Amino acid sequence: MNTLDQKLLKEIADLERVPQGAYNIRKNGALEGRSNSANIVIDTKTDKPGIDIHIAPGTKHESVHIPVILTESGLRDMVYNDFFIGEGCDVDIIAGCGIHNSGCETSEHDGIHTFYVGKNAKVRYVEKHYGEGDGTGKRILNPQTVVYLEEGATIQLETTQIRGVDSTKRETKIVVGKDAEAVITEKLLTHGSQTAESDMEVILDGEGASGRVISRSVAQDQSVQVFYPKMTGNTRCFGHVQCDSIIMGDARISSIPAIVANHVDAQLVHEAAIGRIAGDQLLKLMTLGLTETEAEERILDGFLQ
C-alpha cells in the first residue's frame, strides 16, 4: 500500500499497518488483501460483488476489519456484504470507506451490509466515512445496513461521518428479537453544500427487546441534513430515540422522529432538539484565551465525542 492508501485506512479504520487476525481490504473495486483466522472466514461472493463473513459460534475477543478505499475519480463501487455471527460470540467488526477524489468525475461507494446475529451473541460494529481530495468531482457514500438479532443478542452500531463527503443517504433497519438489544450511535458533520439523509428503523419484535438511537449532528454553511429515526414496538419492549443537532450559518436540519406502539406494553420515548451554540459557552472559552473560531471547534469536538 502507498502513502495515500495508508492515510485513508488510518482515517476510517485506525489502521497504521496490516491488521492482526481476519481482514478484507477493498481498493477501487477489487480485493487488495485478505486474511482469515481460525474462527473467522471470509469468502468472495460468486453471484455479485461482495463477501460473506462467517464467525464461528463461541468466538470471543476477536475482530475483523473490512475497510474500503477509493482513489480513482469516476469510479462507482457497489458491494453486498453478509455477516453470519454464531451463537455466543463477542466480536468487533470495523468497516468504513475512505474516498480520495482529485479528479472532476464523481466517485461513489454503495455498500449493503446484512447481519445475522446468533443467540446471545454480542457485536460492536464501527463504520466511519471519510472524504478528501482537491478535485471538483463529488464524493458520495450510500450505506445500507440490515440487522437481525436472535434471542439475547446485542449489537452496538457506531457510525461516524465528519466532513469531506458531498452526499450521503444512509438506510438502517434492525429487527430485535426476544430479550435482545440494539444501540445505534450516529455522529455527523456537514459543511459547504453537502447533503446527508438518514432513514433508520428499529423494530422491537420480541418480548423484552430494547432499542436506543442516539444521533448527534452539526450542520454548517449551506449544508442540509434530514433524519427519519423510527422505533416500532410490537410487544412488551422499551425504545428510546434521541436526536440532538447544532445548526450554523445558513444550514438546514430536519429531524422527524417517529414512535409506533403496536402493543399495550410497548414503552417508547423520543426526543429531538436543534439549536445554535450557546453564546455563554463561547464567551466562557474566549475568556480563557481562545479565539471565537477555536472556541466553536472545541465545543463541536466535545459535542461529537
Side-chain angles (χ1 to χ4, degrees):
M1 293 183 290
N2 58 36
T3 302
L4 176 57
D5 297 344
Q6 293 173 343
K7 179 184 178 183
L8 291 175
L9 290 174
K10 173 64 175 177
E11 290 287 348
I12 64 173
D14 202 26
L15 290 176
E16 297 182 349
R17 59 184 67 87
V18 174
Q20 297 287 329
Y23 67 85
N24 188 94
I25 300 174
R26 183 180 178 89
K27 177 182 176 182
N28 295 328
L31 177 64
E32 181 74 8
R34 177 182 295 170
S35 177
N36 294 328
S37 71
N39 297 314
I40 302 175
V41 177
I42 304 171
D43 295 318
T44 301
K45 286 185 178 295
T46 58
D47 58 340
K48 52 190 172 184
I51 54 179
D52 291 331
I53 301 97
H54 295 268
I55 303 179
T59 301
K60 295 183 183 296
H61 311 304
E62 291 195 39
S63 63
V64 55
H65 291 75
I66 55 164
V68 174
I69 56 177
L70 273 66
T71 59
E72 293 182 6
S73 185
L75 179 66
R76 184 180 186 274
D77 187 32
M78 179 78 175
V79 295
Y80 299 81
N81 296 336
D82 292 341
F83 302 79
F84 303 90
I85 297 131
E87 181 177 334
C89 287
D90 188 347
V91 295
D92 292 344
I93 301 172
I94 299 91
C97 179
I99 298 177
H100 177 91
N101 191 352
S102 58
C104 58
E105 298 182 79
T106 296
S107 295
E108 179 176 343
H109 174 74
D110 299 336
I112 300 176
H113 292 178
T114 304
F115 295 78
Y116 303 91
V117 185
K119 185 176 180 180
N120 296 321
K122 296 181 180 180
V123 177
R124 177 174 175 262
Y125 178 67
V126 179
E127 183 178 84
K128 294 182 180 180
H129 287 166
Y130 173 76
E132 63 171 34
D134 54 5
T136 58
K138 291 186 176 182
R139 300 170 292 270
I140 297 176
L141 291 163
N142 296 317
Q144 296 182 39
T145 305
V146 181
V147 181
Y148 300 97
L149 297 176
E150 293 188 15
E151 180 179 348
T154 300
I155 190 165
Q156 294 183 0
L157 177 62
E158 302 175 14
T159 65
T160 303
Q161 180 177 303
I162 307 296
R163 302 185 184 275
V165 178
D166 293 291
S167 174
T168 187
K169 183 175 182 180
R170 174 180 297 278
E171 298 180 22
T172 306
K173 178 182 178 181
I174 302 180
V175 181
V176 187
K178 184 180 186 303
D179 295 324
E181 180 183 40
V183 179
I184 304 173
T185 303
E186 183 178 62
K187 302 174 185 178
L188 173 69
L189 187 149
T190 55
H191 62 100
S193 59
Q194 296 173 352
T195 62
E197 181 178 331
S198 180
D199 192 342
M200 185 184 304
E201 182 175 17
V202 179
I203 302 172
L204 305 174
D205 214 35
E207 186 173 353
S210 63
R212 186 174 183 188
V213 174
I214 306 153
S215 176
R216 290 197 167 188
S217 74
V218 176
Q220 299 175 322
D221 306 320
Q222 295 81 39
S223 64
V224 178
Q225 300 178 5
V226 183
F227 299 93
Y228 296 100
K230 180 180 179 181
M231 187 79 65
T232 301
N234 292 331
T235 184
R236 180 180 63 82
C237 59
F238 177 79
H240 184 207
V241 178
Q242 178 181 341
C243 302
D244 295 317
S245 300
I246 292 177
I247 188 168
M248 305 173 69
D250 296 317
R252 290 179 290 154
I253 301 176
S254 299
S255 184
I256 311 167
I259 51 176
V260 179
N262 296 320
H263 192 278
V264 67
D265 290 323
Q267 300 181 50
L268 308 175
V269 180
H270 77 69
E271 305 172 68
I274 302 173
R276 60 186 299 172
I277 296 176
D280 58 343
Q281 291 180 302
L282 286 173
L283 181 61
K284 182 177 181 179
L285 290 176
M286 291 170 67
T287 59
L288 298 176
L290 298 181
T291 66
E292 183 175 355
T293 299
E294 290 172 337
E296 283 185 351
E297 289 297 321
R298 185 71 62 87
I299 292 169
L300 296 183
D301 287 345
F303 180 73
L304 292 171
Q305 285 296 319

